[in-house]
Every structure is written in C-alpha cells, then in structure tokens.
Amino acid sequence: MSLSYCTSATDTQGRELAEHGSALFPIACYEENISENSAPFEAVPWHWHEEWEALLVREGTAVVSAEFEKYTLKKGQGIFINSGVLHEVHMEKGSCCQTRSIVFHPRLVGGTVDSIIWQKYLQPLLQNTLLKSVYLDGFSPWHRDATRAIDEAWRSVADEFEGYEFYARNALSSLVLLLKKHCVCSQSTLSESRLRSTERIKIMLQFIHRHYAEELNTALIARSAMISESECLRCFHAAIGTTPIQYLRRFRIQKAAELLCLSQKKAGDIGAECGFEDSSYFTKIFREIKGCTPGEYRRQNAHPTRAK
C-alpha cells in the first residue's frame, strides 16, 4: 500500500471522495509537506469522512481545525479526529510543516458491529457527541503512548514489511483502547444549539462546494440552510473562524491553485471557471492569499509531488 496520494475532492456534502485503503484493508497513510511557497496545496481544506483520522506533526507547526475547535500542533504532537467531523489542516503563517496521518475505518479494529470489541470499545467513541477530536500533547504518559501507537501504525503501513497488517492493526487497537479509557464520558451530550450549528455549517459548505463558480453572496449561502444572514455569519465565525464570503474566496483560490498545477488552461480562464469574472481581481485575490501571481504559482509548482 505504501503512501497514498491525497485529493481534496469532496461530494456535495463536503464528504471526502478519496478511498482510504481498500475493502480488504481499510486504512491509508499520508504525508504532507506544507510550505508557504513550494507546495501546490498549502492546506487540506474543510471536509469530513466516516473513517477515523490520526495525525502527527513531524516538523514545524500545523494548525488543525475540527468543527468548533482549533489546535496549534508542534513537532511531536498529534490529534485524533472522530468519524463525521468537519476538519481542515493548514500551516502556521510564515512557517513550514510536515505531517503524517492515518485514515482508517473503525471496522479495521473492531470487526463487525455485533462483535464485543465494537460494542464495548468502538461504539462509545463513535456515539460520543462530545468527542469531536482529541489533542495529543506528546508529553503526558498516555498521550505519549497514543502518539507512539499512531507512529507505529503509520510506519507499518508505509513500509509494508511481512505481517505489517497485524502490526498496524495492533497499534491502532492500542490507540482505540487509550481513547476509550481516557476520553469517553458516561454522559456526553452537546447542546441543541451546537448540534444545529454543526448541521447548518455542513449544509452551507455543501452549497458553496457545489456553487462556488457561480455568483454568490451571504444571503444565498444563508438561504441554503434556511437561516438568516446574521445566523449564517455567527455559524461560520463559531465553527470556521471566518465569514462565509472569506471562506468562499479562499475555496475558489484553492480550486484555482489546483487547476493551475494540474492543467494547461490560461490563468484568466481558470479564474473565470472558479468564479472570478474579472481577471485582474482574480490576480489580486490570488496574490493576497498565495503571496504570488497565478503565473508565478504555476511556475513554482509545475511538477507537484504532494502526498498526504
């Protein structure tokens, strides 16, 4: 299996389309080398998937957002992200970072839903509405054990030595046991307001991902979730830390950056395809976000080798 390549493609609900591993062995490991100028994709944009994800920072500083929480992770620190949780990863401004992550389906550890392992250890994690993510500081004893388990699983899958499947599953079983032991509360519920905000954000992101090339404004985005503009602004600020229009602008630039690296289309045509009718405005916003013009960006990233 070795390293898998990452795509930011999502469906209309923001659900990631990439297949992580296979039905026989539902796990994939990824490596991100994110730098301000050299990488063709400076972030893993907002998305979600049914699988669990565990990420470690190898070098530099990464900023990971998981719904309403934001974490700044240094070298040696990590994070666990629960199933169905909206999240994104980017570098700290002015720095570079390297991350390693594993995306795996719970059945790799728990087998079928009627097994004792699934019901006793996995189900409490999956059904815990408070457990969106777990920050692993790399210092406290069980956090060190957790990051060590993630690293062992990642290396096993990446190296593919004889019996690596057993070693990876054993390491991830240890991780799940640690999470079950230290993170599951007996009574875990989120407020109705928080749950509503999460669902509304998913709906509005879905709308933006489907219609980003069209003329959009806050009113249209709010209408997609049947809420007021003020509630739309509140939801975006609380969950993503930005306004819907700022998010839309960055998403459009992200799509444009991908097309600049993966196609030979003219920069102006790519801008128009991504919702920027005015080519000079496209260049202006691109420079603000990426720090260079579309043409410079394409030349710098003519041969992308990014692996997640």
Side-chain angles (χ1 to χ4, degrees):
M1 181 174 297
S2 190
L3 289 178
S4 298
Y5 291 92
C6 176
T7 172
S8 62
T10 58
D11 66 11
T12 56
Q13 295 180 324
R15 180 178 177 179
E16 190 175 34
L17 295 175
E19 182 179 2
H20 303 288
S22 65
L24 293 175
F25 194 54
I27 179 175
C29 64
Y30 304 96
E31 187 169 73
E32 297 280 1
N33 292 286
I34 309 175
S35 65
E36 190 166 11
N37 296 314
S38 63
F41 309 92
E42 281 80 27
V44 180
W46 286 95
H47 67 287
W48 62 276
H49 39 68
E50 291 181 353
E51 295 88 352
W52 281 333
E53 182 166 352
L55 177 146
L56 293 177
V57 175
R58 299 280 296 173
E59 298 291 342
T61 303
V63 180
V64 181
S65 298
E67 293 195 3
F68 293 90
E69 302 295 334
K70 180 178 287 188
Y71 308 91
T72 300
L73 275 58
K74 304 291 185 180
K75 180 178 178 179
Q77 298 180 333
I79 190 170
F80 168 82
I81 298 172
N82 212 342
S83 173
V85 174
L86 274 169
H87 60 283
E88 65 98 32
V89 183
H90 64 274
M91 66 179 182
E92 188 176 53
K93 188 173 182 180
S95 68
C96 303
C97 69
Q98 180 190 71
T99 65
R100 287 180 175 177
S101 60
I102 293 179
V103 181
F104 65 102
H105 198 283
R107 71 173 180 272
L108 177 68
V109 173
T112 61
V113 296
D114 56 353
S115 74
I116 185 63
I117 293 175
W118 185 288
Q119 294 179 10
K120 187 175 180 179
Y121 299 101
L122 279 71
Q123 191 164 295
L125 294 172
L126 291 165
Q127 293 185 343
N128 190 330
T129 56
L130 282 181
L131 191 65
K132 301 295 185 180
S133 55
V134 180
Y135 166 65
L136 302 169
D137 63 23
F139 299 108
S140 59
W142 85 266
H143 283 202
R144 286 200 302 271
D145 291 341
T147 55
R148 190 179 302 117
I150 296 168
D151 184 60
E152 182 180 341
W154 192 97
R155 291 177 183 275
S156 299
V157 177
D159 293 343
E160 291 188 313
F161 51 79
E162 179 69 22
Y164 77 92
E165 297 94 340
F166 286 104
Y167 286 90
R169 186 177 64 179
N170 288 343
L172 293 174
S173 296
S174 296
L175 173 64
V176 170
L177 181 59
L178 287 166
L179 292 167
K180 165 63 169 61
K181 182 178 180 180
H182 295 281
C183 301
V184 173
C185 302
S186 58
Q187 293 182 339
S188 298
T189 57
L190 284 175
S191 68
E192 290 187 11
S193 174
R194 189 80 168 264
L195 290 171
R196 276 199 308 271
S197 293
T198 298
E199 291 308 309
R200 287 168 174 174
I201 280 292
K202 286 186 176 181
I203 291 170
M204 289 186 285
L205 290 181
Q206 167 191 345
F207 180 78
I208 291 173
H209 294 173
R210 290 183 65 180
H211 301 283
Y212 69 91
E214 303 170 17
E215 186 175 347
L216 296 180
N217 55 38
T218 302
L220 288 172
I221 295 170
R223 192 180 305 164
S224 70
M226 295 185 291
I227 58 176
S228 66
E229 290 185 50
S230 60
E231 179 62 12
C232 170
L233 290 167
R234 188 199 67 77
C235 286
F236 267 84
H237 179 74
I240 299 181
T242 188
T243 69
I245 298 305
Q246 288 171 336
Y247 175 83
L248 169 63
R249 188 179 296 125
R250 294 194 70 89
F251 186 81
R252 284 172 168 171
I253 293 299
Q254 182 73 24
K255 289 296 183 181
E258 294 178 13
L259 289 174
L260 285 165
C261 295
L262 302 176
S263 78
Q264 297 302 314
K265 296 179 181 179
K266 294 180 179 179
D269 293 339
I270 288 175
E273 187 175 327
C274 294
F276 296 96
E277 295 184 5
D278 187 318
S279 60
S280 60
Y281 180 68
F282 168 57
T283 300
K284 175 179 179 292
I285 298 301
F286 196 98
R287 186 193 294 274
E288 286 180 3
I289 293 176
K290 298 295 187 184
C292 60
T293 67
E296 291 169 341
Y297 189 87
R298 171 176 270 166
R299 288 191 293 273
Q300 292 167 2
N301 304 288
H303 302 289
T305 58
R306 173 182 183 262
K308 181 181 175 186

